[in-house]
Amino acid sequence: EADETISGITIIGYEVTDQVIAKRKIEESEERFRSLANNMPLNVFIIEPTVEAKISYWNKYWLDYTGQTLEEAIGVTWESIIHPDDLQLIMDVYVPAFENHQPYYLSGIRIRRYDGHYRWFAVQANPRYLPNGEFIGYIGVGFDINDHKLFEKELIEAKESAENAAKSKQQFLSNMSHEIRTPLNSILGFANILLKTELGVDQKEFVQAIKTSGKTLNILINDILDLAKVDAGKMTFEKRPFEIRKSIRSILHSFNLKIKEKNLEFVKEYDSKLPSMLLGDSLRLNQIILNLISNAVKFTPSGKIILSINVLTEDEENVTIEFTVTDSGIGIAANKINSIFHVFEQAETGTANTYGGTGLGLAIVKQLIESQGGSISLKSKIGEGSIFSFILPFGKTTMKPEDEIETETEILKLDSEIKNLRVLVAEDVALNQLLIKLILNDFGFDHEIVANGKIAIEKLQTNTYDIILMDLQMPEMNGFEATEYIRKKMKSKIPIIALTADVTTADGSKCIEFGMDDYIAKPIDENMLYSKIVQLVKKSQ
């Protein structure tokens, strides 16, 4: 039997320096991670490799945000912390990413705070792997983007508000245009009819005054609508040949009476290098010069007005011209010069009362010039007068003045090829009915006039016509509804011209969209109406 007395101890020693160092490094690394994570101003989390996305780690930011202890926070899932409306979004993103061990990003989810309120967070997470390549879940961060989301919401609301305001503005302009143009159509139309009759000198002068006043009102309406078009980026400019001196003469003719009344001296100065013909939008140029000379005449009680036109640069295809209107009028204060081109601005509050006007003219002028690539400037002194200068580019043309295309405002010439024309007119306003009747009689056209679109359709089903003049706003069935029925139900291709008191861009494009061939604005230009009727009837034959 062996002696069980302990005679000694055998000690076996293993060197564990590397393991201890490795363990300490791991502990130090984990401590650094915790210290870094706990001091970051965002959520840091670790997700276990489960499809339920159980959380195995949260940093201090999260605990402070939720009001939870670490023990309470460990093991929670998305479902317990995310707004119910955002859960499906998370699953749609997380599950495919988890199945393929891919990173995922959530641009905006709402996470509940300790007080029950939700704030918006963006979440970015990347997969974690062991050294052997084993997938062990995700590590991710959540950024508080609540202020950004609120700002984004405000921007969206502001955009919607601006769009609604634009729609309201468009509707207002449409209504205003229609309501003013409808009676204005009668005023100018009957003034034209009267001027064709035998009148005494005084009577003719009175009717001409009515016509002039009506045209002035029409210019105001056009100014407002032009301003809306420029704001909406819908202003278009033609490039047609025109005779510059002839264009200027036609503008100045309308000021002759006023200039004589005020005993003003009017001087025209043309550069010798000025081409006789230019390529551009003569109507817009006329509108600009008309406004500037109108202001000069209005604000010059006595003295002189000078219109000078000078060539600045020129090559084979283009020419840049400076137009200057100088007056010896009341002048503008230095502190008002920068604001004089603003909408509804006038130099002084009493200006409108003393001289009239809305303050729209110069705003329109500036935008018309700048929209064509030009510029305008103003120099002025109180009591000494003003100098308005604007620069515009034009194209050059080889066309001679005698070759200039006749405009639609020339004396009406009846087309010998158009005879026995039958016109159906849909118009509900009695005065406008009478006016269109007189105009069509002058054209030598047979016509039938009805009060709305419904009756127009009934007439079209039993009678034959060459063309329809269709008012847009009528009771029972308006012009759009009637045209749509004629085109889609009746399958008729009869030419239709819209008679519209609303000449906004939207209304013009809507006419074409509903199947009308063309449209003409009220007040009706007789020559333009005749030209459009003849053109469409010839095309349809």
Side-chain angles (χ1 to χ4, degrees):
E1 184 174 330
D3 188 355
E4 295 182 357
T5 304
I6 297 173
S7 59
I9 297 174
T10 300
I11 298 175
I12 300 174
Y14 299 93
E15 184 178 356
V16 293
T17 301
D18 291 343
Q19 290 92 325
V20 170
I21 291 172
K23 182 181 179 182
R24 285 178 180 173
K25 284 184 177 179
I26 290 171
E27 289 173 348
E28 288 172 1
S29 177
E30 289 178 348
E31 181 58 34
R32 280 197 298 271
F33 168 76
R34 281 193 294 271
S35 176
L36 179 64
N38 284 332
N39 284 284
M40 293 182 74
L42 42 80
N43 291 339
V44 179
F45 57 87
I46 295 175
I47 298 177
E48 295 178 359
T50 61
V51 74
E52 294 85 7
K54 286 189 176 180
I55 311 295
S56 61
Y57 172 81
W58 289 109
N59 69 336
K60 185 175 182 298
Y61 182 96
W62 171 263
L63 301 179
D64 291 341
Y65 179 82
T66 62
Q68 295 173 316
T69 63
L70 185 59
E71 291 73 19
E72 291 171 335
I74 296 301
V76 301
T77 62
W78 288 120
E79 192 171 6
S80 63
I81 57 176
I82 302 301
H83 194 287
D85 293 345
D86 299 336
L87 284 174
Q88 189 58 50
L89 169 65
I90 292 174
M91 291 300 105
D92 290 345
V93 174
Y94 173 75
V95 172
F98 174 80
E99 290 174 348
N100 295 287
H101 300 168
Q102 292 179 333
Y104 67 87
Y105 176 71
L106 296 164
S107 60
I109 58 172
R110 285 161 289 183
I111 301 176
R112 190 176 62 249
R113 199 167 59 177
Y114 62 87
D115 57 4
H117 290 100
Y118 288 89
R119 289 181 67 85
W120 286 94
F121 280 79
V123 176
Q124 171 74 54
N126 293 305
R128 297 175 65 221
Y129 298 96
L130 290 176
N132 63 7
E134 180 186 351
F135 172 69
I136 57 171
Y138 285 92
I139 182 168
V141 292
F143 307 87
D144 188 326
I145 59 169
N146 200 69
D147 292 342
H148 171 76
K149 276 287 184 180
L150 292 177
F151 181 64
E152 186 181 83
K153 183 183 177 184
E154 289 174 0
L155 283 179
I156 292 172
E157 290 174 350
K159 180 176 179 290
E160 290 175 350
S161 177
E163 288 173 349
N164 290 334
K167 288 177 183 176
S168 297
K169 177 182 177 182
Q170 182 68 36
Q171 188 60 48
F172 166 75
L173 289 173
S174 174
N175 292 342
M176 184 204 71
S177 171
H178 182 270
E179 294 303 321
I180 297 177
R181 283 180 185 275
T182 297
L184 188 59
N185 180 54
S186 297
I187 294 169
L188 289 176
F190 285 112
N192 281 330
I193 299 293
L194 271 175
L195 287 170
K196 294 177 184 178
T197 65
E198 291 293 331
L199 297 173
V201 176
D202 289 342
Q203 291 172 322
K204 194 169 185 178
E205 187 176 334
F206 296 155
V207 176
Q208 191 63 53
I210 293 170
K211 186 177 178 180
T212 302
S213 297
K215 282 186 172 181
T216 302
L217 180 56
N218 198 35
I219 289 170
L220 172 59
I221 298 167
N222 289 338
D223 278 350
I224 296 170
L225 295 175
D226 281 347
L227 192 64
K229 286 180 185 178
V230 172
D231 287 345
K234 300 285 180 69
M235 177 66 74
T236 57
F237 299 92
E238 292 184 340
K239 266 211 159 186
R240 295 183 61 184
F242 68 97
E243 188 179 349
I244 178 67
R245 289 173 178 81
K246 181 179 178 182
S247 195
I248 297 298
R249 279 199 305 272
S250 67
I251 296 169
L252 299 181
H253 182 73
S254 61
F255 292 104
N256 285 343
L257 186 61
K258 198 69 179 175
I259 289 170
K260 287 179 181 177
E261 280 180 6
K262 301 180 80 169
N263 198 27
L264 299 175
E265 182 184 355
F266 196 99
V267 179
K268 290 178 289 185
E269 297 175 349
Y270 294 116
D271 191 328
S272 59
K273 299 191 295 292
L274 182 68
S276 57
M277 298 288 292
L278 296 174
L279 206 59
D281 196 321
S282 61
L283 290 177
R284 297 301 183 192
L285 177 62
N286 288 357
Q287 193 175 355
I288 293 165
I289 296 175
L290 189 71
N291 265 299
L292 294 180
I293 294 180
S294 176
N295 271 357
V297 173
K298 183 191 297 184
F299 297 117
T300 305
S302 61
K304 181 191 294 187
I305 297 171
I306 303 170
L307 170 64
S308 59
I309 304 175
N310 295 290
V311 174
L312 295 183
T313 61
E314 185 178 9
D315 57 33
E316 290 184 2
E317 296 182 351
N318 300 292
V319 58
T320 303
I321 300 174
E322 181 178 41
F323 300 81
T324 304
V325 178
T326 306
D327 67 64
S328 58
I330 62 173
I332 300 165
N335 64 341
K336 295 290 183 179
I337 287 178
N338 290 333
S339 63
I340 202 71
F341 293 104
H342 295 172
V343 178
F344 299 119
E345 284 281 352
Q346 293 191 329
E348 302 294 338
T349 54
T351 300
N353 292 332
T354 307
Y355 296 96
T358 61
L360 277 175
L362 291 177
I364 298 294
V365 162
K366 185 175 189 291
Q367 297 199 39
L368 286 177
I369 291 169
E370 292 180 351
S371 296
Q372 295 180 84
S375 61
I376 185 168
S377 62
L378 165 63
K379 295 178 182 177
S380 187
K381 283 186 178 180
I382 289 288
E384 294 184 15
S386 303
I387 303 172
F388 285 89
S389 296
F390 69 94
I391 298 169
L392 273 181
F394 293 92
K396 295 176 73 175
T397 176
T398 55
M399 186 177 289
K400 304 299 181 189
E402 60 268 20
D403 299 330
E404 186 180 2
I405 299 168
E406 282 191 2
T407 66
E408 292 163 330
T409 56
E410 297 294 325
I411 296 171
L412 179 63
K413 296 175 183 177
L414 298 181
D415 193 309
S416 58
E417 296 179 21
I418 299 298
K419 295 177 181 178
N420 303 319
L421 209 65
R422 294 208 70 204
V423 183
L424 176 61
V425 181
E427 167 66 68
D428 64 308
V429 179
L431 281 174
N432 288 341
Q433 288 179 349
L434 176 58
L435 178 60
I436 199 73
K437 175 185 174 182
L438 294 170
I439 291 173
L440 292 176
N441 282 340
D442 273 355
F443 294 167
F445 297 161
D446 290 333
H447 52 271
E448 192 163 0
I449 301 175
V450 297
N452 59 56
K454 184 179 178 182
I455 304 173
I457 289 171
E458 292 170 358
K459 292 288 184 182
L460 195 61
Q461 288 170 336
T462 56
N463 301 320
T464 302
Y465 303 95
D466 296 294
I467 194 166
I468 301 174
L469 303 182
M470 185 80 75
D471 186 37
L472 295 185
Q473 297 193 27
M474 296 180 290
E476 290 196 61
M477 180 181 278
N478 65 38
F480 293 118
E481 294 166 338
T483 300
E484 190 172 35
Y485 187 92
I486 291 167
R487 295 291 188 237
K488 293 183 178 179
K489 299 288 185 183
M490 299 180 67
K491 305 295 182 184
S492 173
K493 294 183 179 179
I494 184 172
I496 301 175
I497 298 177
L499 303 177
T500 174
D502 176 9
V503 290
T504 59
T505 303
D507 197 70
S509 58
K510 190 177 177 183
C511 291
I512 306 302
E513 181 187 328
F514 271 77
M516 296 169 182
D517 298 275
D518 207 337
Y519 64 94
I520 187 166
K522 296 176 181 177
I524 294 171
D525 182 315
E526 295 179 33
N527 299 319
M528 186 181 292
L529 177 61
Y530 183 82
S531 174
K532 288 180 183 290
I533 289 175
V534 170
Q535 181 185 5
L536 287 173
V537 169
K538 281 185 173 181
K539 187 178 177 182
S540 67
Q541 287 177 344

